[in-house]
C-alpha cells in the first residue's frame, strides 16, 4: 500500500506564506504525478497544482505566480510553496499521487488533508 502524509498547514495572515509537504511512503516504484487539490467551505474540490515526473506543471489560474509545486525528491516528498496568500486560499488542501507500485500496478492515492486558514 501507499500512504501520504501532508504537513505544513496552519493559520497565516493575508500576504503571508506557507509551504505544504506531501510525503509518500510504502510500495512505490515511481511517482507519475503529484498534485494538490483544495476544498474551500461551500465549494467543490479544485485542482490547485500538478507536476509530472518530467517536471511539467499545471496551476489553476488563481494561484499562478503565487504558488510553486516541486517534484518529489528522493524521499518521495513534494512541496507546495504558497506565497501572497489571501482569504480566498482558505481551504483544506489534499495531496494526490499517481504512482506505479512496486508490483508494477498503477494506483492513485489521497492524503488526509491539511487545513490552511488565511486570516488576520
Amino acid at each position: 500500500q501507499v500512504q501520504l502524509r501532508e504537513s505544513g498547514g496552519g493559520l497565516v495572515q493575508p500576504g503571508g506564506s506557507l509551504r505544504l509537504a506531501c510525503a509518500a511512503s510504502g510500495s512505490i516504484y515511481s511517482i507519475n504525478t503529484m498534485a494538490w487539490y483544495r476544498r474551500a467551505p461551500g465549494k467543490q474540490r479544485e485542482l490547485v497544482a500538478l507536476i509530472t515526473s518530467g517536471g511539467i506543471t499545471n496551476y489553476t489560474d488563481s494561484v499562478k505566480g503565487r504558488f510553486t509545486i516541486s517534484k518529489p525528491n528522493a524521499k518521495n516528498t513534494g512541496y507546495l510553496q504558497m506565497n501572497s496568500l489571501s482569504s480566498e486560499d482558505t481551504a483544506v488542501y489534499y495531496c494526490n499521487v499517481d504512482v506505479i507500485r512496486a508490483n508494477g500496478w498503477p494506483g492513485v492515492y489521497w492524503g488526509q488533508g491539511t487545513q490552511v486558514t488565511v486570516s488576520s
Side-chain angles (χ1 to χ4, degrees):
Q1 264 294 14
V2 174
Q3 298 82 37
L4 300 181
R5 181 169 57 89
E6 297 137 333
S7 59
L11 173 65
V12 63
Q13 291 186 341
S17 298
L18 283 175
R19 188 177 76 156
L20 304 183
C22 176
S25 61
S27 180
I28 299 172
Y29 174 75
S30 65
I31 297 176
N32 295 325
T33 64
M34 178 174 281
W36 290 91
Y37 288 76
R38 67 186 178 187
R39 176 174 283 156
K43 296 185 178 181
Q44 291 187 337
R45 184 178 62 193
E46 66 169 343
L47 174 66
V48 176
L50 176 147
I51 189 164
T52 70
S53 58
I56 297 172
T57 58
N58 184 36
Y59 297 93
T60 192
D61 286 345
S62 63
V63 308
K64 287 179 180 177
R66 300 188 298 122
F67 290 13
T68 303
I69 189 170
S70 62
K71 283 177 60 176
N73 58 23
K75 296 183 177 179
N76 287 333
T77 298
Y79 300 92
L80 182 68
Q81 178 68 41
M82 306 187 295
N83 299 327
S84 302
L85 287 162
S86 73
S87 59
E88 296 194 354
D89 297 312
T90 294
V92 178
Y93 285 71
Y94 298 89
C95 180
N96 168 277
V97 294
D98 181 337
V99 307
I100 300 297
R101 293 183 288 170
N103 63 7
W105 289 94
V108 177
Y109 299 90
W110 291 89
Q112 79 286 353
T114 185
Q115 176 70 46
V116 172
T117 302
V118 185
S119 176
S120 55

